[in-house]
Amino acid sequence: MQKLYDVIIIGGGVVGSAIARELSRYRLKIAVLEKNLDVCFETSGRNTGVCHGGFAYDPGTLKAKLCVEGNRMMGALAQELDFPFKRTGKVLVGNTDEEYEQLGRVMRQGAVNGATGLSMIGEEELHRLVPSVQAKFAMLSRNSGILDPFLMTIALAENAHKNGVEYHFDSEVTGIRRSGNENVWEITTAHGDTYAARWAVNAAGLGCGKISDMLGIRGYKIIGSKDDYIILDQRLGALVPMPIYTVPSNTYMGIHVTITTDGNVLLGPTAEDTDNLSYYGTEQKNLDYLYQEAMKIWPHVKKSDYIRTYSGILPKWVDDNGKIQDFKIEIRDDLAPNAVNLVGIESPGLTASVAIARYVIDMMKEREHFAENVDFDGTRKGITRFALLTPQEQDALIQKNPDYGELVCRCEKVTKAEILQAIHNPLGAHTMVSVKYRTRCMMGRCQGGYCQMRISSMLEKELGIRPTEITYERAGSHPFFGVVRSEAESRREAQ
Amino acid sequence: MIRENIDTLIVGGGPAGLAAAVELWKKGMRSILIVERERQLGGILRQCIHDGFGLSRFGESLSGPEYAQKFIDEVTALGIPYLTDAAVMNITGSRLVTIATPGGIREYQAKSVVLTMGCRERTQGALAIPGERPTGVFTAGVAQAYINLYNRMPAREVIILGSGDIGMIMARRLTLEGAHVHAVFEVQPYPSGLPRNIEQCLNDYHIPLYLSHTVTKIHGSSRLEGVTVSAVDAHMKPIPGTEQYYPCDTLILSVGLIPENELSLDAGVTLDPRTHGAIVDENYMTSVPGIFAAGNVLHVHDLVDFVSMEAERLADHVAEYVREGSLPPCTLDVHYDTDINHVIPQKVSGANPFRLSMRVSHVMKNAAIEVRQNGNLIAKKAVKKALPAEMIQFDVPADNLQTSGDLEVTAVQR
């Protein structure tokens, strides 16, 4: 008989991890089953990293309500969990009378939704705030901001883990059944492991439709909206003090020019419907289109500043006519008792994640009393970023730990001490991208040209694994077929 | 935190930095320091185990490590100070240099700074090749480091994009280590690497080189599974209908080198959009007084010998700058026509002879490079076959130079 959990959360993205963290406030035995080898390898890590204001959603929807709530709590959350977040504000820019009217509508809608800090600004004010933009007027959303989606997800997951939540990676759920006499969920994974739990939570993101079907709540139609992005060099960040958007509809934000918390500029997204929820390839026509559209509002794009392109997919719940629906968060006592079903959690899921988690827990608590976990510690400390310190602080850190004096990644100035902490992360995620997302190594303009060899070597050494066991990101993504010369290897080891 | 004053701080202990240091020492400069971020001196040469280095500088064919060792031995014999495991974090316009070392942060107020950081490789991301992001796509230098320094085999079935010299050298190296290199594709209508490498690294191993072709899509979600290759038109745009799928587990990129000038930019050094290196005068001084540059950080060279020799020339001027506190002003611009890709230096005084380094922008046969000022022919160099892959260098004498009037460099087809 396997261990009985109180709650199994399917999906370790930002929503699953937020639910795990919020549930760890109670005395519950919780596990997260994640199909990838780390958190945020899908939608949670493949987005714009913007903290939305909540004005671009139909009034009365969960998207509007939870986005506004999520935005309000982001500052305190970022402090508690030590992840990068800046309330930069954001502008939605336009040129025509029609666009002006549309922005007025967006602003009124925002007010109904409870979004605050919205105002229309003229050309002069716009250029004072964002000198590099090309437009006549804008709607300013003062409370919008930017956050690091990787570190936010990792922070939530690590804090959940600190409070007793187990994370199981490489654990794709392939079967769920209700065990009749015991009233528990039996959840089977692709590797044949079985977990039993009193509660099941579907936070599977792109897999939400599949898991919903497995839970017995059938019929949700999920399509993917695939977004291609271009990342530009960090030096351009100074030209983009806040995200620059065009006039949105309530289902598509338009091409925008944003910055990351580290100063890289992002161009995107393209938003194309797709049935393939696991294909992350970019398309030439999309990259060309992004360039052309971004240049209209921000005429500073140079192809020599490209450092990477990527793609993300948002799971959208649509009706039979293909119309995009609200977030669905439900407990179907009739079909799947003690299961929380989250369907179509797309944008603004990152902003709303903790608000979603609290909403979920309120629903669960209507059905069961949860005893408070008196040992809950809601704080988490991330890895200290050497590059962001003053020379005096850097020196003090090196005196305590000389590994801080050894630079491994030159572009992002990441030290050996940081890489070591990332390799030994509390969640036990061991891919090269796990180290990348936690430290920013390999994320700079040379894209790991200088540091990747050092990082794979450190992974081998620290984890005691063979070269062929190094994994880049997804299962099976092994950079090495073996050693070049075995006799050379013994010499290398002896050194 | 340690803080010191110094005459000359050299950023980077590769073939340029080492040569500059040795030459400065020989000129009597003693307050100098080489700062190297790696554990050992030598720079990128440490992983270049093939031979062919040193023919111009030493008159013999050496491997990369042997070439570097000649300079390292000299540095050691002369007792030139150097720091390894030391990463320059920042350089200010007033030449305050901050360095991170395992012993702590060090700051140097330098009278002069010599930039010899070398270059980095262009990546898949910079090219924005569409498709997925599996592992198995490596720049040639990364594959070279894995094989030659880390003893890790990253490839079996290989496609190479770009006919840069490192790419061709890796075609041979991978073949010798048992990988199967299917083909090299080059987007330009001419090879970007040296003719001798096409002979010795591709032809000798029956590896085909396809010009005017490029990779237009990357396939595979975990490990690379294949690439789509397309022919390109005269504007290097892929031609629809020419797509061909090549199964492979490795794509090696040899698509250009970019001078590594992030520290230079922090110091306020103005860069040339053509070379991606600093704009320098005939003394190799950048737009920031007291900051000099030579080697691949200034412009990408074809041969390492020329990197070291450029740095040796630079040393004369740095020594003079430190002694005199300034150098004669260089206010004349060096202009060039569209047949020429770039020139070094971009500024001259008109009072002194200087070495002109340049590359043509396309293949030219029976060309003559002419330098003119105020309508007068100042210098002329005949080039039988001018290739973009090869640097052209010659001395411009001071005899006919005047101290007013910009210079014009043209490539003339004879």
Side-chain angles (χ1 to χ4, degrees):
Chain A
M1 177 70 203
Q2 71 275 56
K3 189 156 62 170
L4 179 67
Y5 291 89
D6 292 307
V7 187
I8 292 274
I9 298 164
I10 302 164
V14 71
V15 173
S17 294
I19 294 170
R21 189 256 185 171
E22 290 302 306
L23 271 178
S24 70
R25 295 175 185 273
Y26 304 96
R27 284 177 51 191
L28 298 167
K29 182 84 199 143
I30 305 162
V32 175
L33 304 183
E34 168 55 52
K35 76 172 178 185
N36 292 294
L37 303 182
D38 196 353
V39 298
C40 65
F41 274 11
E42 292 186 0
T43 309
S44 304
R46 295 168 170 272
N47 53 66
T48 322
V50 165
C51 179
H52 292 296
F55 46 79
Y57 314 102
D58 290 335
T61 58
L62 281 177
K63 285 181 183 172
K65 170 185 149 69
L66 298 173
C67 181
V68 169
E69 285 176 20
N71 180 299
R72 269 189 211 136
M73 61 179 81
M74 198 59 77
L77 190 73
Q79 271 203 327
E80 251 186 333
L81 295 178
D82 190 25
F83 65 85
F85 164 66
K86 287 178 204 159
R87 214 174 274 285
T88 52
K90 126 175 168 180
V91 285
L92 284 62
V93 302
N95 291 297
T96 66
D97 290 350
E98 198 191 335
E99 286 172 332
Y100 194 87
E101 243 171 68
Q102 274 175 290
L103 285 178
R105 185 189 61 78
V106 171
M107 212 172 88
R108 287 190 296 279
Q109 174 174 280
V112 176
N113 290 349
T116 53
L118 309 178
S119 57
M120 292 298 290
I121 56 174
E123 195 166 0
E124 201 176 315
E125 174 73 352
L126 173 60
H127 284 109
R128 194 183 61 77
L129 291 172
V130 191
S132 63
V133 77
Q134 186 171 282
K136 292 208 160 53
F137 52 82
M139 187 191 99
L140 170 67
S141 166
R142 281 192 180 76
N143 289 327
S144 297
I146 54 173
L147 54 83
D148 183 326
F150 312 119
L151 290 181
M152 179 181 176
T153 309
I154 289 164
L156 285 164
E158 286 186 358
N159 191 232
H161 179 268
K162 182 181 186 179
N163 290 297
V165 175
E166 295 172 16
Y167 268 77
H168 299 270
F169 295 120
D170 200 12
S171 299
E172 181 175 10
V173 171
T174 49
I176 305 176
R177 69 183 195 106
R178 190 91 178 136
S179 158
N181 44 5
E182 290 155 44
N183 274 342
V184 296
W185 293 103
E186 278 188 13
I187 301 171
T188 314
T189 67
H191 292 301
D193 298 323
T194 306
Y195 297 83
R198 296 191 307 101
W199 282 90
V201 177
N202 172 13
L206 289 164
C208 67
K210 262 195 234 172
I211 300 296
S212 182
D213 284 347
M214 288 184 205
L215 285 168
I217 310 171
R218 289 174 217 284
Y220 283 111
K221 191 179 176 205
I222 305 299
I223 61 162
S225 173
K226 184 170 155 289
D227 294 323
D228 288 1
Y229 289 88
I230 299 168
I231 311 178
L232 306 182
D233 195 284
Q234 231 170 35
R235 284 205 178 265
L236 297 171
L239 294 174
V240 186
M242 64 178 75
I244 307 165
Y245 280 58
T246 49
V247 178
S249 77
N250 276 12
T251 51
Y252 175 49
M253 295 283 206
I255 303 287
H256 34 268
V257 176
T258 61
I259 28 162
T260 70
T261 48
D262 294 283
N264 291 97
V265 174
L266 297 179
L267 314 179
T270 42
E272 277 181 300
D273 288 353
T274 176
D275 291 328
N276 188 341
L277 301 184
S278 61
Y279 179 74
Y280 291 107
T282 55
E283 301 289 333
Q284 186 64 55
K285 68 172 167 50
N286 292 349
L287 302 177
D288 292 344
Y289 181 71
L290 285 177
Y291 173 84
Q292 173 199 318
E293 290 300 302
M295 283 293 274
K296 288 182 189 166
I297 52 171
W298 192 70
H300 304 277
V301 185
K302 284 200 308 253
K303 289 184 179 164
S304 56
D305 287 323
Y306 287 13
I307 65 168
R308 193 175 177 81
T309 64
Y310 69 99
S311 188
I313 306 172
L314 296 176
K316 300 201 183 232
W317 167 35
V318 294
D319 67 11
D320 289 340
N321 302 318
K323 185 171 181 286
I324 295 163
Q325 304 294 301
D326 193 14
F327 292 162
K328 183 62 156 185
I329 305 175
E330 62 183 355
I331 298 177
R332 290 291 298 267
D333 295 313
D334 53 339
L335 296 172
N338 279 22
V340 188
N341 197 32
L342 293 93
V343 175
I345 310 298
E346 50 139 341
S347 182
L350 184 66
T351 308
S353 50
V354 174
I356 291 171
R358 292 186 183 168
Y359 185 84
V360 163
I361 290 164
D362 285 346
M363 289 171 79
M364 294 169 82
K365 282 163 69 181
E366 281 171 17
R367 286 162 179 82
E368 181 175 323
H369 171 74
F370 292 156
E372 198 186 331
N373 172 9
V374 290
D375 299 324
F376 176 79
D377 177 357
T379 62
R380 169 261 182 195
K381 183 81 187 73
I383 299 169
T384 301
R385 281 275 305 279
F386 183 76
L388 303 181
L389 305 175
T390 65
Q392 286 74 20
E393 292 169 330
Q394 289 174 337
D395 191 61
L397 207 51
I398 297 169
Q399 300 312 326
K400 273 191 271 175
N401 179 0
D403 285 342
Y404 271 108
E406 196 175 319
L407 233 66
V408 174
C409 163
R410 64 181 176 200
C411 303
E412 299 297 314
K413 300 188 169 78
V414 184
T415 62
K416 185 179 174 187
E418 293 159 79
I419 308 271
L420 287 174
Q421 289 171 68
I423 290 174
H424 298 292
N425 66 79
L427 299 177
H430 290 149
T431 70
M432 289 181 76
V433 171
S434 302
V435 179
K436 169 174 164 172
Y437 284 172
R438 283 166 177 78
T439 62
R440 283 195 64 73
C441 63
M442 304 186 280
M443 274 197 193
R445 49 182 73 87
C446 92
Q447 290 285 295
Y450 181 73
C451 66
Q452 62 175 291
M453 299 76 87
R454 291 160 177 81
I455 289 157
S456 64
S457 288
M458 286 167 78
L459 278 165
E460 280 183 32
K461 185 163 170 247
E462 293 298 316
L463 303 174
I465 57 177
R466 290 194 301 270
T468 48
E469 291 172 315
I470 295 282
T471 304
Y472 176 68
E473 179 177 16
R474 290 197 189 184
S477 61
H478 303 301
F480 310 122
F481 293 104
V483 300
V484 181
R485 307 279 171 90
S486 47
E487 68 275 18
E489 190 62 10
S490 43
R491 274 204 305 277
R492 246 188 113 241
E493 275 162 9
Q495 275 175 7
Chain B
M1 227 162 84
I2 293 165
R3 193 156 181 178
E4 286 176 32
N5 292 318
I6 196 159
D7 283 352
T8 306
L9 189 133
I10 300 162
V11 188
L18 293 171
V22 169
E23 201 58 25
L24 281 165
W25 192 269
K26 286 180 178 169
K27 296 199 180 311
M29 304 277 292
R30 291 294 176 270
S31 173
I32 69 175
L33 177 67
I34 307 167
V35 181
E36 167 57 45
R37 63 186 170 204
E38 302 230 17
R39 191 144 294 168
Q40 291 151 294
L41 295 171
I44 203 69
L45 287 169
R46 292 179 50 240
Q47 68 186 56
C48 303
I49 63 169
H50 51 283
D51 72 349
F53 301 99
L55 284 166
S56 300
R57 176 64 179 73
F58 295 110
E60 58 179 319
S61 180
L62 304 166
S63 71
E66 286 170 338
Y67 180 99
Q69 199 58 46
K70 290 223 174 220
F71 284 102
I72 296 169
D73 288 346
E74 217 167 349
V75 164
T76 317
L78 295 171
I80 299 174
Y82 62 86
L83 280 178
T84 50
D85 273 329
V88 174
M89 301 291 285
N90 187 53
I91 304 171
T92 68
S94 50
R95 300 179 305 280
L96 179 66
V97 184
T98 310
I99 302 167
T101 76
I105 298 289
R106 289 165 171 254
E107 281 185 347
Y108 288 90
Q109 179 57 59
K111 281 186 190 156
S112 63
V113 173
V114 176
L115 304 175
T116 48
M117 291 89 80
C119 54
R120 65 169 186 268
E121 296 177 281
R122 274 182 90 201
T123 64
Q124 171 194 4
L127 286 182
I129 305 173
E132 295 171 272
R133 300 288 165 265
T135 192
V137 181
F138 305 102
T139 58
V142 166
Q144 189 178 46
Y146 274 137
I147 294 178
N148 294 350
L149 293 180
Y150 290 83
N151 198 31
R152 296 289 170 269
M153 190 61 187
R156 272 180 186 155
E157 300 295 328
V158 185
I159 292 288
I160 298 182
L161 175 63
S163 57
D165 289 312
I166 321 165
M168 293 197 279
I169 281 155
M170 285 314 295
R172 176 175 66 184
R173 185 84 186 96
L174 285 160
T175 305
L176 292 174
E177 292 303 341
H180 178 204
V181 180
H182 295 259
V184 177
F185 296 100
E186 168 60 56
V187 70
Q188 299 177 108
Y190 51 83
S192 62
L194 295 169
R196 74 171 193 208
N197 283 328
I198 298 174
E199 259 332 297
Q200 296 169 11
C201 299
L202 302 187
N203 294 349
D204 284 359
Y205 297 86
H206 310 291
I207 298 167
L209 167 63
Y210 297 97
L211 300 174
S212 297
H213 279 74
T214 193
V215 172
T216 48
K217 199 138 207 185
I218 289 170
H219 307 273
S221 61
S222 298
R223 178 79 198 193
L224 182 68
E225 290 164 17
V227 295
T228 302
V229 173
S230 302
V232 300
D233 63 19
H235 306 286
M236 292 196 270
K237 289 271 174 221
I239 303 168
T242 62
E243 297 86 1
Q244 213 174 336
Y245 180 78
Y246 286 82
C248 57
D249 55 46
T250 307
L251 174 65
I252 301 287
L253 300 174
S254 180
V255 289
L257 300 169
I258 303 165
E260 184 87 343
N261 274 294
E262 319 317 322
L263 290 168
S264 323
L265 288 168
D266 288 342
V269 167
T270 308
L271 300 189
D272 181 333
R274 300 301 284 271
T275 57
H276 300 284
I279 290 176
V280 291
D281 61 22
E282 65 199 25
N283 307 307
Y284 298 98
M285 189 158 85
T286 68
S287 59
V288 179
I291 299 186
F292 296 77
N296 279 349
V297 77
L298 179 58
H299 58 129
V300 174
H301 289 57
D302 51 354
L303 296 180
V304 69
D305 302 61
F306 299 141
V307 164
S308 303
M309 288 151 88
E310 185 171 86
E312 286 163 346
R313 288 196 298 276
L314 160 145
D316 293 344
H317 306 296
V318 172
E320 187 187 342
Y321 178 86
V322 171
R323 261 195 329 267
E324 309 292 331
S326 69
L327 288 168
C330 294
T331 56
L332 311 182
D333 288 319
V334 183
H335 303 287
Y336 50 93
D337 70 9
T338 53
D339 296 320
I340 292 167
N341 186 63
H342 65 262
V343 297
I344 297 286
Q346 296 93 333
K347 303 281 250 182
V348 296
S349 63
N352 299 312
F354 64 92
R355 168 67 60 94
L356 186 78
S357 296
M358 52 156 287
R359 288 191 195 227
V360 291
S361 53
H362 56 93
V363 179
M364 292 177 84
K365 278 184 184 161
N366 292 322
I369 312 298
E370 296 183 355
V371 182
R372 290 175 186 277
Q373 184 189 35
N374 302 323
N376 306 323
L377 184 65
I378 307 293
K380 184 170 174 173
K381 159 110 177 164
V383 188
K384 205 162 180 198
K385 192 170 184 192
L387 302 175
E390 289 180 334
M391 281 168 59
I392 298 169
Q393 300 191 76
F394 56 97
D395 288 321
V396 178
D399 313 348
N400 302 321
L401 274 175
Q402 295 168 353
T403 51
S404 69
D406 288 350
L407 272 59
E408 300 279 347
V409 186
T410 51
V412 190
Q413 196 94 41
R414 286 188 296 176

